[in-house]
Amino acid sequence: MQTIIETVQPYVSTVATAVVGVLTTIILAGLNTVKVKVNTWLEARTTAAQREVIHKVAGEAFALAQTAFKEAGGERKLQEALQYATLRLAEQGITVSVVELQAAIEKAYLEYKAKTKAVLATEAQPNEEAAQVAAKEAVSGLAAKLNDFLAQATAEVTSVQTQSEPDPIPSSREHVQASVAIE
């Protein structure tokens, strides 16, 4: 009996693992279907105009938390923004989950960070005119140095030539013919 159990045990483990894998896949597929249905239901409950209002209020809440609670930490700012946004939306009759409201506030924060990063990058880059002026100055300075160098080099060459005049090279035919005949 013991040998049968030892022989069958690896097969049972393999089958059990496969069954657990199939059940997990079925459960995940069911959850995905439920998620799609919940998202459709939420979309039907909140219109595009309500979403726009939610995002505007979230932006206001973020701005309030950012300015009124400068010294507070990020979590405290988020709590204050959530409280403000919840009250403002309740005044308008819009009911939103805390998670959705937090997501809208976080989106406002990310947009703010992107805008400030873009502004800082633009300020850090020199404007195009300044870059062109700097390039022209660099080129003209380089050209002046090159002219000085060439003038100095040609002055040295002419002074060497005037100090020792080389013997003129004879160009007569007789000299050329004589050198050919010698060879």
Side-chain angles (χ1 to χ4, degrees):
M1 181 74 168
Q2 186 70 14
T3 58
I4 295 174
I5 293 175
E6 290 175 357
T7 308
V8 175
Q9 186 176 4
Y11 298 115
V12 170
S13 296
T14 305
V15 169
T17 304
V19 168
V20 168
V22 168
L23 287 175
T24 303
T25 304
I26 291 170
I27 290 170
L28 289 175
L31 287 176
N32 191 32
T33 305
V34 169
K35 182 182 115 182
V36 169
K37 288 182 180 182
V38 167
N39 284 339
T40 306
W41 181 76
L42 286 175
E43 286 293 323
R45 298 226 32 214
T46 56
T47 64
Q50 285 177 334
R51 288 200 174 280
E52 189 175 317
V53 169
I54 291 168
H55 287 286
K56 284 183 180 180
V57 169
E60 289 175 9
F62 167 72
L64 173 71
Q66 192 71 9
T67 56
F69 302 98
K70 289 180 185 178
E71 304 302 321
E75 190 63 34
R76 168 103 192 277
K77 288 180 183 179
L78 178 61
Q79 292 305 319
E80 295 296 332
L82 282 170
Q83 183 179 2
Y84 172 82
T86 303
L87 291 173
R88 291 280 294 152
L89 290 172
E91 289 173 2
Q92 296 182 11
I94 300 173
T95 305
V96 181
S97 71
V98 175
V99 174
E100 188 175 2
L101 193 55
Q102 183 176 352
I105 292 170
E106 292 288 342
K107 180 182 176 189
Y109 169 71
L110 292 176
E111 288 173 353
Y112 169 77
K113 271 183 70 173
K115 286 179 185 176
T116 57
K117 189 179 278 188
V119 167
L120 291 176
T122 303
E123 289 175 356
Q125 294 176 348
N127 63 14
E128 192 172 326
E129 286 182 24
Q132 288 177 354
V133 168
K136 286 179 184 178
E137 288 177 3
V139 169
S140 63
L142 184 60
K145 287 181 182 179
L146 185 60
N147 284 338
D148 291 344
F149 177 73
L150 289 175
Q152 187 179 22
T154 54
E156 288 175 4
V157 169
T158 55
S159 67
V160 169
Q161 284 181 349
T162 56
Q163 288 176 358
S164 61
E165 283 290 324
D167 294 332
I169 301 174
S171 63
S172 65
R173 291 178 128 196
E174 299 156 355
H175 185 354
V176 173
Q177 287 176 352
S179 65
V180 172
I182 295 173
E183 292 179 48

